[in-house]
Amino acid sequence: MKVLDFPLFKITISFIIGVLISYYCHPEMKTAFAFAGVSGLLLLLSYFLSKRNKNYSTFFGICSNLISLSVGLCVIIIHTDSFDKRNYTHSQSAFEKQQYITFTLREKLKSNDYNDRYIGLINTIDNKIFTGRIIVNVQKDSLQNPLIIGNILRVKTTLQKTTSNKNPNQFDYSRYLADKQIYAQLYCRKSEIKISTKIQKDIWYYSGRLHSKILRNLQKSNFNTEEMNVALALILGQQQEISSEIIKDYQYSGATHILSVSGLHVGFIMLFITFVLKPVPNTRKGSALKLASILISLAGFAVISGLSPSVLRSVVMFSFVAVGNHLRRSGNIYHTLLVSMLLILLFEPYFLFDVGFQLSYLALFFIIWLQPVLAKIWNPKNKIAVYLWNALTVSFAAQIGTLPLCLYYFHQFPGLFFVTNIIILPVLSFIMIAGIIVMLTAVFTNPPSFLMFIFEKSIYILNQMIHYVASFESFVIRDISFNFYYLITLSLVIITITIWFKKAAYFKLVLVFISVILLQLSFIYTKKEVAVQQELIVYNTKKKSLISIRKGQNIILFTNDTLGIQKEKEYLLNSYVVGSFSKIDKTKRLNNMLFFNGRKIAVIDSSGVYENKVNPDIIILTQTPKINLDRLLDNLRPKIIIADASNAYTIQKKWKESCAQKNIPFHATAEKGYYKMN
């Protein structure tokens, strides 16, 4: 593999480094653009010098990478909407009091138990022009939902900033939305909405109408709802209505990737179109016709599926593959991947931090790089054995390549992934073929009954197979503690072993041993780091009071409800336990006095009882105690007051004012999230 010699590889790496620096270090806009200007001048200078004297070619190469890095710095600033003065984040009044807000519906999201959810584009706030993306939550009621993509809505409400995770090591939903340039949400009822007679008819509108027409025609054909929702996910990537039980089955069986439109789906469509056009001769005109047909088909699929980012990403990636094949450059598939990645990141640099983007490119890269090596281990003669072996090696290559990232993000590993991929591929292949035909037919009319029956039953069989594999929960390894050190060192081990496996050499074997030693060192360092850590956490829980003290790997849990703590252990504490490489050693009833690292902590509950003679460093208020906080502050003089979410919201506001008057810090977990003390 000579991909490292490809000039675009170094440029892409420099560009990605620039994006990472800009994302994590937040350089000033003027500094970034000034650096880009200087880099541009140096590039011009080095270009003319290298034309006159070849000795300057190295200088030209350095300047090329420098300009690429500076473009990476600038492009993420350009694509950060909050830097735009017209963005709604600069309208402080919209977050403080009700304003008339006008916005356009852009995309339908998965609904929850209480609200239908959309992505909206802000048009005006209080009749002033603003821009930006928001989450729109429309309360569900008995009325039919008349809202469609492209509707321009007006409602009087207050914008609410997306809050960060309120408990330790939980998924940071606020940052996830910020990477999608969404910084706020609004909540409203249908009765409060005024719908404009004007509809914004752009490509998203027509995509939404097309998708709605497909859905109506499928419903008219009496398509079973559960199977239809899975079909929409499999073929069009629309997961909005799929049940949580089915998603859980697909997760436990290691088949989640087939519910999200990715390289697998788009690649299958490309192969299907290529197969249909096989009779067309490979002449100059015939090859151009094939390329045009593939590109149009992929673009049409993107429109039908709703123009979601994951679909657009996969369509762009495989469009480049198709162009590479047309130019007879299929041997440089790595270069094609690099070009598609660079182009996507130029227009959407925040995709670099999207888990789907990372997993898609890693899986495809390892399938191309590692699968041929694995396939050579055994050369079966039987056609069925060849099929099974190819399916197995493709699955293993993708799983090995994405393993470190999956452990880092999801902390679990489906042990039966290879079984799942072998048994579902024949069914999935048929479903994809039948699904494409059904969806194309549904664009115009109701699909034929016999085809719908076969399609529905095939999805039913697929769901049953997935459910059967997922039922072996003992093979799903969950709650795997995995940090950034492990991610980097395990990735190095996989890469060096693959390089050595492709072509054995002494130097490559030395690299393997070095990477294994680094992995072991990361284990040792993490263990030592955890052993000396001590921290107290006051959790953000509404119904119960929950405090933990961790010393090394052992956690002592304090709560006012020791019997009903199991649910919190599963849904709240689990992320903290996994993220901190620890375990819950004991669970105790919460007392009125705690001690941590030489500090006294008074806990005042609903009884309102506290000891006047004790001067605590910290006071924790829980369960809305009936106390005179001003008098308590004068008597005890604590260094900080902490109020957990079990307290009433109105009383917390008064406590905050009292603390502000006496210059004592006040931490409300409902507002600021959990409190941590080291």
Side-chain angles (χ1 to χ4, degrees):
M1 185 182 68
K2 297 182 178 180
V3 67
L4 300 181
D5 297 329
F6 187 46
L8 198 61
F9 174 80
K10 297 172 185 176
I11 290 174
T12 303
I13 294 299
S14 299
F15 175 80
I16 289 173
I17 291 171
V19 170
L20 291 171
I21 292 172
S22 186
Y23 183 81
Y24 289 107
C25 299
H26 310 291
E28 291 284 339
M29 186 182 296
K30 292 180 180 178
T31 305
F33 282 95
F35 179 67
V38 172
S39 300
L41 291 174
L42 287 174
L43 181 68
L44 287 174
L45 177 63
S46 63
Y47 173 76
F48 289 116
L49 288 174
S50 62
K51 279 287 185 181
R52 295 182 178 181
N53 190 336
K54 290 184 178 180
N55 292 330
Y56 287 98
S57 57
T58 303
F59 179 53
F60 176 72
I62 293 171
C63 291
S64 299
N65 288 288
L66 201 61
I67 190 68
S68 180
L69 187 143
S70 64
V71 169
L73 284 172
C74 296
V75 76
I76 203 164
I77 294 173
I78 293 169
H79 286 88
T80 302
D81 290 352
S82 59
F83 289 137
D84 187 350
K85 294 297 182 183
R86 297 175 302 165
N87 189 266
Y88 63 82
T89 52
H90 298 283
S91 175
Q92 191 60 37
S93 59
F95 295 91
E96 296 172 348
K97 60 183 180 180
Q98 289 192 337
Q99 304 271 5
Y100 280 105
I101 300 174
T102 306
F103 55 91
T104 304
L105 294 185
R106 167 55 60 83
E107 182 183 341
K108 178 78 168 68
L109 300 176
K110 186 177 179 67
S111 302
N112 57 32
D113 294 336
Y114 308 103
N115 301 299
D116 291 316
R117 302 172 69 245
Y118 304 85
I119 290 179
L121 302 180
I122 293 285
N123 298 325
T124 63
I125 298 175
D126 197 24
N127 295 321
K128 296 177 183 177
I129 296 175
F130 283 95
T131 62
R133 293 157 58 88
I134 56 168
I135 300 289
V136 180
N137 298 274
V138 182
Q139 189 178 52
K140 288 182 176 179
D141 55 29
S142 58
L143 300 175
Q144 263 194 336
N145 188 357
L147 302 179
I148 61 172
I149 302 304
N151 272 148
I152 299 175
L153 311 179
R154 181 180 171 88
V155 64
K156 189 175 184 180
T157 187
T158 306
L159 292 180
Q160 297 184 20
K161 291 182 179 179
T162 55
T163 55
S164 57
N165 49 323
K166 293 293 183 70
N167 284 299
N169 299 331
Q170 287 186 331
F171 174 67
D172 195 340
Y173 187 58
S174 174
R175 184 157 190 173
Y176 169 79
L177 289 180
D179 287 346
K180 296 180 180 296
Q181 309 311 304
I182 299 172
Y183 308 103
Q185 303 189 51
L186 66 80
Y187 294 82
C188 61
R189 299 186 183 92
K190 291 176 187 175
S191 57
E192 299 171 339
I193 298 173
K194 292 183 180 179
I195 304 175
S196 172
T197 54
K198 184 181 177 182
I199 296 177
Q200 186 170 324
K201 295 184 178 181
D202 53 17
I203 190 170
W204 281 272
Y205 165 78
Y206 290 108
S207 174
R209 300 305 293 165
L210 194 59
H211 181 261
S212 298
K213 188 174 182 180
I214 291 172
L215 188 58
R216 283 198 305 270
N217 286 333
L218 291 177
Q219 290 171 337
K220 288 177 184 177
S221 301
N222 298 318
F223 202 165
N224 181 278
T225 304
E226 192 170 271
E227 275 74 42
M228 182 178 68
N229 291 335
V230 174
L232 292 172
L234 289 172
I235 311 301
L236 302 181
Q238 301 291 330
Q239 298 185 41
Q240 289 90 336
E241 304 302 328
I242 195 166
S243 68
S244 57
E245 291 79 11
I246 290 179
I247 290 177
K248 183 180 176 181
D249 282 346
Y250 278 77
Q251 287 175 341
Y252 283 7
S253 63
T256 315
H257 58 283
I258 70 174
L259 289 180
S260 304
V261 171
S262 59
L264 173 69
H265 301 72
V266 180
F268 189 92
I269 291 170
M270 179 177 159
L271 290 174
F272 179 71
I273 300 300
T274 304
F275 174 76
V276 171
L277 297 174
K278 200 171 184 180
V280 177
N282 286 324
T283 60
R284 187 175 180 180
K285 290 184 179 180
S287 183
L289 176 63
K290 287 182 179 180
L291 176 64
S293 301
I294 290 171
L295 295 179
I296 292 170
S297 299
L298 294 181
F301 172 73
V303 172
I304 292 173
S305 60
L307 296 166
S308 65
S310 62
V311 175
L312 291 174
R313 184 172 63 233
S314 299
V315 165
V316 170
M317 184 168 65
F318 276 91
S319 295
F320 272 92
V321 173
V323 172
N325 290 337
H326 172 69
L327 297 174
R328 305 291 191 272
R329 294 180 179 174
S330 56
N332 292 330
I333 186 66
Y334 302 108
H335 303 168
T336 305
L337 285 179
L338 279 173
V339 171
S340 66
M341 180 191 291
L342 184 59
L343 183 67
I344 289 171
L345 292 178
L346 274 170
F347 288 96
E348 290 289 348
Y350 279 96
F351 275 1
L352 183 63
F353 309 98
D354 183 87
V355 180
F357 178 87
Q358 296 169 12
L359 292 176
S360 291
Y361 271 95
L362 262 180
L364 190 56
F365 173 77
F366 270 86
I367 288 171
I368 296 167
W369 188 39
L370 183 58
Q371 192 273 338
V373 180
L374 297 177
K376 290 177 182 178
I377 295 174
W378 181 43
N379 293 310
K381 304 298 180 184
N382 185 280
K383 287 186 178 180
I384 296 176
V386 170
Y387 163 78
L388 291 174
W389 180 241
N390 284 335
L392 192 63
T393 53
V394 167
S395 179
F396 265 105
Q399 199 71 43
I400 289 170
T402 57
L403 176 63
L405 271 183
C406 288
L407 293 177
Y408 181 70
Y409 286 122
F410 309 120
H411 301 285
Q412 68 177 28
F413 179 74
L416 294 178
F417 72 91
F418 58 94
V419 176
T420 303
N421 283 283
I422 288 174
I423 66 174
I424 70 171
L425 274 178
V427 181
L428 185 61
S429 301
F430 176 79
I431 287 173
M432 291 298 294
I433 295 170
I436 292 169
I437 297 171
V438 166
M439 297 301 170
L440 287 175
T441 307
V443 171
F444 306 101
T445 184
N446 299 347
S449 300
F450 76 93
L451 183 59
M452 289 298 298
F453 176 80
I454 295 171
F455 186 44
E456 181 181 317
K457 292 303 176 185
S458 62
I459 292 177
Y460 174 79
I461 292 170
L462 176 67
N463 285 344
Q464 292 302 309
M465 293 164 68
I466 293 291
H467 178 71
Y468 178 73
V469 176
S471 65
F472 295 94
E473 291 193 24
S474 57
F475 286 92
V476 182
I477 307 170
R478 282 172 284 183
D479 303 335
I480 303 170
S481 296
F482 203 84
N483 59 18
F484 187 72
Y485 307 135
Y486 292 2
L487 170 67
I488 298 300
T489 53
L490 181 59
S491 298
L492 284 174
V493 169
I494 291 171
I495 291 168
T496 53
I497 288 177
T498 304
I499 291 172
W500 174 75
F501 199 72
K502 287 175 76 74
K503 191 175 181 181
Y506 175 76
F507 175 71
K508 294 176 182 178
L509 186 60
V510 171
L511 290 179
V512 171
F513 286 135
I514 291 173
S515 64
V516 171
I517 291 169
L518 288 174
L519 179 61
Q520 292 173 329
L521 287 174
S522 70
F523 290 154
I524 295 169
Y525 178 77
T526 300
K527 192 170 183 177
K528 286 189 174 182
E529 187 180 46
V530 170
V532 298
Q533 288 177 347
Q534 295 186 31
E535 58 187 20
L536 179 144
I537 303 286
V538 180
Y539 295 86
N540 180 59
T541 52
K542 290 185 178 180
K543 296 181 180 179
K544 298 179 180 67
S545 297
L546 200 60
I547 300 170
S548 70
I549 294 178
R550 179 170 70 89
K551 294 184 178 180
Q553 291 184 325
N554 298 316
I555 295 174
I556 300 176
L557 199 62
F558 299 91
T559 177
N560 64 335
D561 183 9
T562 54
L563 297 176
I565 195 63
Q566 189 59 39
K567 189 175 180 181
E568 275 70 20
K569 283 185 178 180
E570 291 179 4
Y571 298 104
L572 188 151
L573 294 168
N574 190 58
S575 57
Y576 175 62
V577 170
V578 173
S580 60
F581 292 78
S582 55
K583 64 181 186 298
I584 297 174
D585 188 41
K586 297 176 184 176
T587 300
K588 296 183 178 181
R589 187 157 191 85
L590 185 61
N591 296 319
N592 293 113
M593 186 62 69
L594 296 173
F595 296 91
F596 178 75
N597 282 354
R599 283 170 282 190
K600 290 180 287 186
I601 303 164
V603 180
I604 305 177
D605 56 21
S606 57
S607 66
V609 176
Y610 62 92
E611 180 60 55
N612 280 322
K613 296 179 180 179
V614 176
N615 291 322
D617 299 291
I618 299 165
I619 293 177
I620 300 176
L621 304 175
T622 72
Q623 308 295 320
T624 317
K626 294 179 181 179
I627 55 172
N628 185 323
L629 188 63
D630 291 312
R631 187 191 308 157
L632 182 145
L633 295 176
D634 290 334
N635 291 339
L636 302 185
R637 299 186 179 278
K639 295 177 181 177
I640 184 172
I641 297 289
I642 302 165
D644 69 14
S646 66
N647 297 288
Y649 175 72
T650 51
I651 198 74
Q652 289 188 58
K653 291 179 68 177
K654 294 179 180 178
W655 289 344
K656 187 176 181 179
E657 291 172 2
S658 297
C659 289
Q661 290 173 1
K662 297 182 182 299
N663 292 321
I664 295 176
F666 179 78
H667 184 105
T669 63
E671 179 186 353
K672 299 179 180 179
Y674 68 95
Y675 178 81
K676 182 168 80 169
M677 184 195 313
N678 296 112

